[in-house]
Amino acid sequence: MASSSVSAADMAAVKTSSNGMWQGDDPLHFAFPLLILQTLLILLLSRILAFLLRPLRQPKVIAEIVAGILLGPSALGRNKAYLRALFPPWSAPVLESVASLGLLFFLFLVGLELDLRSVRRSGRRAFAIAAAGISLPFVCGVGVSFVIRRAIPGADEAGYAPFLVFMGVALSITAFPVLARILAELKLLTTSIGETALAAAAFNDVAAWVLLALAVAISGSGDDRRSPVTSLWVLLSGAAFVAVWMLAVRPLMSWVARRSDAGGGGDAVWVAATLAGVLASGLATDMIGIHAIFGAFVFGLTVPKDGAFAGRVTERVEDLVSELLLPLYFASSGLKTDVATIRGGGALAMLALVIGTACAGKIVGTFAVAMACGMGAKEAIVLGVLMNTKGLVELIVLNIGRERKVLNEETFAILVLMALVTTFITTPMVMAIYKPARAAGRRRLHPRKLHGPTTSAPSSPSSSAAANAKELRVLACIHGGHDVPALINLIETIRGHTQPRRLVKLYILRMVELTERTSSILMARAARRNGLPFLRPSRRGGGDDDQIDVAFGTYAQLGHVQVRPMTAVSALHTMHEDVEAVAEDKRVSLIIVPFHKRQLAGHGDEIENLGPEWRAVNRRILREAPCSVAVLVDRGFGGGEQVSSEQVAHGVCVVFFGGPDDREALELAGRMAEHPGVQVTVVRFLDGKAGHEEHTEVTLRPSEAKNVEKSYTFATATVNGHREKELDEAAVVDFQQKMGAMVRFEERVAAGNVVEEVVAIGKSREYGLVVVGKGRLPSAMVAELAVRPAEHPELGPIGDALASAGHGVASSVLVVQQHDMNTDEVPVTVVQIDGHAHDGELGKDDNVAVP
């Protein structure tokens, strides 16, 4: 496929679809069935490779190019029978045509992503860095081209001018889309270094397109017979095209966007007109003699970035393009790459020379100018490494060069490998060199619990007490609009007093997974500032975000609550870092996170599972949070609808066994009981075996044999058991004195199966919400449950029993974990020690304490 040419007669003989195998046709001899099979192979292999490369945080383009290389003549294609059957020469134009259509629309999305106004506002520093980052590598590329023409057989068949320009462009390009995704993955997108890199890459991208247009204009079909006048006409026509599109089409697209944003049922018409504009622009530049993708990119620049229209167009196009069509283009580049052509020490030396020159030119040029602009040495080096990212535009340049016969097979293979290597090393090098200052400086300076300080550095104890009485700061994390009603009802329940109203400052953090979609990158740029989520203004246009804003805006006005919305767009394995950063920055006392399973409204007992990735996010938040955390298992709390303060009417049951987490749950119950519409019941379980001759002391010991994912974990801290019991008694007495008749208090002696008794409370339908502590420093009753099979170990034994679907619990559940700065958690085994329980320190050395 890589080296064979296909005549018009061969293509004319190819039929689109077969009559089927039962009528004697081989589907692989027909264009459409073969295209389907090729697409399936490419998608399957690229997804497998992307999964394997995910721990290295590599962009998806790497996996797609490598998939093409493995399927092509470099690996599997060495078997000629395989290559003739699955990738015959006549199938190449079909595959490349479909891939080129995807490329056309992707370049439109790239233009849509690139805001020329932000490029102009970027300032002289970004312009200077971009100029140095493209000029020095370009000069180096021109220098290397002279060596390659002499060293590689057949490289000198192309004309000097196009060959020099293509080599210069290939080494000097920075891939703006790939760089944006790497910066977003590393949470550097809106830091100072990320903004500088992105602005410089945007300048670089514009310059690269100009140089590419120049290279295409002078290359012709790869020989020197094209008249200079013809090249001049191509350049002038390209310049005229850009001018007309910016002066005439741009205002037209602004009008289209305004009409679409104004509403009505004709939105699909405007989106269809925009997509037709992409095709027409590509056709225009192809007729000029530049390339169809150049027109699509320029048309993307004409679409206004303000308003919701650009987002709607992106949503309609990007999934089909980025997930189906674009991988075909990258894979087709790999299919044309025959690594076997790089033979011998001389060819390998050329490969090393090209990679070394590309890296040195880009990094040295960027480093020197960045230092001259006042950046630190480490930041300047990181900036140089980031600017060395290759990818999409690089492959476009190489493919056009190969089509125009400017680059032969060996030169093409060397340059594709150079693009792979330089992009592959970017993320590991940046992670090794650069650690943002905020990550080192932000860590749990003060323990924050519900009954602890809510403000840092108070001027006096009295001022701290006053602050506690006045304001409760809560960070509520949500996945989408479905979490809003239960969360608002929970906040209204927690805040307590309605007359006079307690001040509650509520921070809403919508957690959105970062993907390689263009809309995800745009959202990440809009939702972050200085590398962190920030308070976002109200948005225009429809969508889930706006419904969330309206719901919380209404609650803020009617409930006199300060609500501050934010959005965290992160990869799921680093989402907890954003949650921790916001909690630390806003000095919140409580983080509320939704359970990864939820009951679907109107679907009976049907449960929606968000998956193990979101469950892992919750586990990391519980482990790393700088304040207390509560996990809400929602089963339609408050009736599944948002209600006002006057309409709140439900029962809350707090189950108390003892320990720090249960005391925190009791503190929360004290706030809830102050609300006139909430009836709080506290059920305290007492150990029926305590004091009896047959009582057995329970000791928990760490167990390396148990799986953390499937076993309950308990705190490793050494505690004074007698002191813990005193704290439990003091908390209960203080709670009873403060609450009095406002709360129904009940003590039960647990003589039988304590899990069944707790589950019976949840089944009773008497309570809309059951509040329990996680039990990391458990009482003896809870410690005995450590050997139970765990379905959701992150909730603790009691919370897990209430959250498990098999028990038929109707109430929503809130599992509370008190903040502790110095406690790790490990799976345990239960050891029964005959004799009476004794006071003093329990669980020394290798034991886990049981009060």
Side-chain angles (χ1 to χ4, degrees):
M1 177 175 177
S3 58
S4 301
S5 59
V6 184
S7 67
D10 293 334
M11 289 303 301
V14 175
K15 294 183 179 180
T16 303
S17 58
S18 71
N19 293 317
M21 53 187 293
W22 300 115
Q23 297 190 44
D25 283 350
D26 184 350
L28 297 186
H29 292 165
F30 295 82
F32 190 58
L34 183 59
L35 176 65
I36 293 174
L37 181 59
Q38 291 171 340
T39 304
L40 287 173
L41 283 174
I42 291 169
L43 292 180
L44 178 63
L45 185 56
S46 62
R47 289 298 173 271
I48 293 173
L49 292 173
F51 176 78
L52 296 176
L53 293 172
R54 186 185 299 174
L56 299 177
R57 297 191 178 186
Q58 292 299 319
K60 197 170 61 174
V61 61
I62 295 287
E64 289 162 353
I65 298 173
V66 173
I69 291 175
L70 293 178
L71 290 171
S74 301
L76 296 176
R78 300 180 76 83
N79 183 325
K80 299 304 179 184
Y82 152 85
L83 203 59
R84 283 194 301 270
L86 295 182
F87 295 97
W90 61 262
S91 72
V94 178
L95 179 62
E96 290 177 17
S97 296
V98 175
S100 296
L101 186 65
L103 180 67
L104 190 76
F105 281 101
F106 187 79
L107 263 295
F108 164 70
L109 293 178
V110 172
L112 201 62
E113 192 177 348
L114 186 61
D115 190 351
L116 290 178
R117 289 179 301 177
S118 65
V119 173
R120 289 196 297 266
R121 289 195 302 262
S122 299
R124 296 179 179 177
R125 182 167 77 169
F127 179 77
I129 291 172
I134 200 168
S135 56
L136 183 58
F138 187 89
V139 172
C140 292
V142 170
V144 167
S145 64
F146 287 101
V147 180
I148 289 179
R149 285 177 71 89
R150 287 198 298 267
I152 296 179
D156 57 353
E157 294 179 4
Y160 255 109
F163 188 78
L164 298 183
V165 174
F166 267 101
M167 286 297 299
V169 172
L171 267 66
S172 59
I173 280 175
T174 296
F176 178 84
V178 179
L179 176 62
R181 283 148 181 79
I182 290 175
L183 290 172
E185 170 77 12
L186 298 178
K187 298 186 187 296
L188 298 175
L189 193 61
T190 55
T191 61
S192 175
I193 191 169
E195 289 179 340
T196 302
L198 214 56
F203 277 122
N204 195 303
D205 220 26
V206 173
W209 284 106
V210 173
L211 290 172
L212 178 58
L214 174 65
V216 172
I218 66 175
S219 64
S221 58
D223 54 41
D224 282 325
R225 289 175 292 178
R226 168 179 275 197
S227 167
V229 176
T230 304
S231 299
L232 180 62
W233 274 115
V234 171
L235 285 174
L236 291 176
S237 300
F241 169 85
V242 174
V244 170
W245 256 240
M246 287 299 168
L247 296 176
V249 177
R250 193 173 186 180
L252 177 63
M253 291 308 301
S254 297
W255 178 81
V256 168
R258 287 194 301 271
R259 288 293 302 270
S260 178
D261 288 341
D267 183 60
V269 174
W270 302 117
V271 173
T274 303
L275 300 184
V278 176
L279 297 172
S281 301
L283 177 62
T285 50
D286 192 76
M287 292 175 66
I288 288 171
I290 303 179
H291 200 284
I293 58 173
F294 187 79
F297 174 76
V298 174
F299 186 75
L301 295 177
T302 67
V303 179
K305 310 303 184 284
D306 301 327
F309 179 69
R312 288 197 297 273
V313 173
T314 301
E315 289 175 2
R316 302 285 179 89
V317 176
E318 66 179 342
D319 282 338
L320 178 66
V321 171
S322 61
E323 300 300 327
L324 178 64
L325 300 180
L326 197 63
L328 300 184
Y329 183 81
F330 290 127
S332 69
S333 300
L335 286 165
K336 299 174 195 171
T337 305
D338 189 357
V339 178
T341 59
I342 308 175
R343 297 191 189 92
L348 292 175
M350 285 297 101
L351 175 62
L353 175 65
V354 170
I355 294 174
T357 304
C359 294
K362 184 69 78 171
I363 295 173
V364 170
T366 303
F367 175 80
V369 175
M371 289 288 289
C373 292
M375 294 184 69
K378 182 181 291 186
E379 287 77 10
I381 291 177
V382 170
L383 191 59
V385 174
L386 289 170
M387 295 296 290
N388 196 36
T389 304
K390 309 294 184 196
L392 175 72
V393 184
E394 171 83 6
L395 288 176
I396 293 171
V397 171
L398 299 182
N399 277 290
I400 293 175
R402 193 174 185 279
E403 290 171 9
R404 302 294 173 109
K405 300 180 182 178
V406 176
L407 305 175
N408 66 3
E409 286 194 21
E410 187 173 350
T411 308
F412 178 80
I414 287 174
L415 293 175
V416 168
L417 292 180
M418 179 270 292
L420 271 177
V421 171
T422 53
T423 305
F424 186 88
I425 65 175
T426 299
T427 301
M429 285 184 69
V430 171
M431 292 178 64
I433 299 171
Y434 188 65
K435 298 289 188 295
R438 69 171 179 89
R442 174 192 53 78
R443 280 304 291 155
R444 311 181 196 167
L445 302 179
H446 305 281
R448 290 197 299 287
K449 310 166 188 176
L450 288 175
H451 57 276
T454 60
T455 56
S456 59
S459 56
S460 66
S462 61
S463 67
S464 177
N468 292 338
K470 288 181 179 179
E471 184 178 81
L472 171 66
R473 295 189 174 198
V474 177
L475 172 62
C477 303
I478 61 175
H479 298 130
H482 42 72
D483 297 321
V484 172
L487 184 60
I488 289 180
N489 291 328
L490 177 62
I491 296 299
E492 179 60 31
T493 302
I494 290 174
R495 77 186 220 145
H497 279 305
T498 57
Q499 297 295 334
R501 296 184 184 276
R502 256 195 194 183
L503 290 180
V504 176
K505 185 169 283 187
L506 177 60
Y507 297 95
I508 304 299
L509 187 66
R510 186 184 180 201
M511 302 183 294
V512 180
E513 182 181 4
L514 175 70
T515 65
E516 297 209 10
R517 298 172 64 186
T518 299
S519 59
S520 183
I521 304 301
L522 293 174
M523 186 182 293
R525 292 176 68 181
R528 304 182 77 86
R529 181 177 292 165
N530 300 322
L532 293 172
F534 75 104
L535 303 179
R536 55 183 170 82
S538 296
R539 297 160 57 109
R540 294 185 300 160
D544 200 24
D545 261 354
D546 302 293
Q547 296 174 12
I548 293 171
D549 288 345
V550 168
F552 282 110
T554 303
Y555 176 58
Q557 290 180 356
L558 299 179
H560 300 279
V561 175
Q562 297 183 54
V563 179
R564 299 290 185 268
M566 293 176 280
T567 302
V569 185
S570 294
L572 292 187
H573 63 271
T574 61
M575 182 68 74
H576 66 287
E577 296 176 2
D578 278 344
V579 176
E580 297 159 31
V582 173
E584 188 70 52
D585 184 53
K586 305 304 178 185
R587 308 298 297 171
V588 302
S589 299
L590 177 67
I591 298 173
I592 301 175
V593 295
F595 192 49
H596 70 281
K597 294 180 181 178
R598 61 172 177 263
Q599 190 167 313
L600 295 176
H603 291 77
D605 295 331
E606 188 175 347
I607 301 296
E608 180 184 7
N609 190 337
L610 299 182
E613 293 86 2
W614 282 109
R615 180 185 179 187
V617 171
N618 284 359
R619 294 175 72 109
R620 295 186 192 103
I621 292 173
L622 285 163
R623 186 172 61 246
E624 303 290 340
C627 61
S628 295
V629 181
V631 181
L632 175 62
V633 183
D634 178 34
R635 294 190 176 102
F637 180 51
E641 295 181 357
Q642 178 182 341
V643 297
S644 63
S645 300
E646 293 74 18
Q647 294 174 312
V648 171
H650 46 249
V652 175
C653 181
V654 180
V655 179
F656 186 89
F657 287 92
D661 294 340
D662 285 39
R663 294 196 293 271
E664 192 80 341
L666 200 63
E667 178 73 18
L668 207 58
R671 292 178 178 271
M672 294 178 177
E674 295 173 353
H675 197 294
V678 178
Q679 176 60 51
V680 174
T681 300
V682 176
V683 178
R684 184 187 186 189
F685 283 89
L686 302 175
D687 191 353
K689 301 176 184 177
H692 290 74
E693 289 294 328
E694 66 272 15
H695 176 57
T696 302
E697 181 187 340
V698 178
T699 301
L700 303 179
R701 289 182 177 170
S703 173
E704 296 182 0
K706 288 194 172 183
N707 187 344
V708 178
E709 301 293 327
K710 299 179 180 179
S711 306
Y712 298 118
T713 58
F714 296 90
T716 58
T718 298
V719 297
N720 187 305
H722 183 67
R723 172 64 176 160
E724 281 295 311
K725 292 176 181 177
E726 288 182 344
L727 290 173
D728 290 342
E729 290 296 333
V732 170
V733 171
D734 183 61
F735 179 82
Q736 288 178 307
Q737 290 177 348
K738 285 182 180 179
M739 298 296 104
M742 295 169 60
V743 173
R744 190 174 72 186
F745 192 88
E746 179 183 338
E747 289 188 345
R748 297 184 185 180
V749 177
N753 188 327
V754 71
V755 171
E756 290 183 358
E757 294 190 47
V758 174
V759 168
I761 294 174
K763 285 182 175 180
S764 68
R765 297 185 181 274
E766 184 180 352
Y767 308 104
L769 180 69
V770 177
V771 184
V772 299
K774 181 181 176 183
R776 290 172 304 154
L777 287 173
S779 65
M781 290 176 286
V782 176
E784 291 177 352
L785 305 176
V787 294
R788 291 182 72 248
E791 185 178 352
H792 313 110
E794 66 271 21
L795 300 181
I798 302 299
D800 184 20
L802 289 167
S804 298
H807 290 147
V809 175
S811 304
S812 296
V813 182
L814 190 69
V815 181
V816 181
Q817 172 185 288
Q818 188 187 70
H819 176 244
D820 192 326
M821 293 191 297
N822 303 308
T823 299
D824 294 324
E825 297 180 41
V826 294
V828 298
T829 55
V830 175
V831 179
Q832 305 282 356
I833 304 174
D834 293 333
H836 297 286
H838 57 78
D839 294 330
E841 287 195 350
L842 297 177
K844 286 186 177 179
D845 298 327
D846 62 339
N847 293 337
V848 176
V850 179

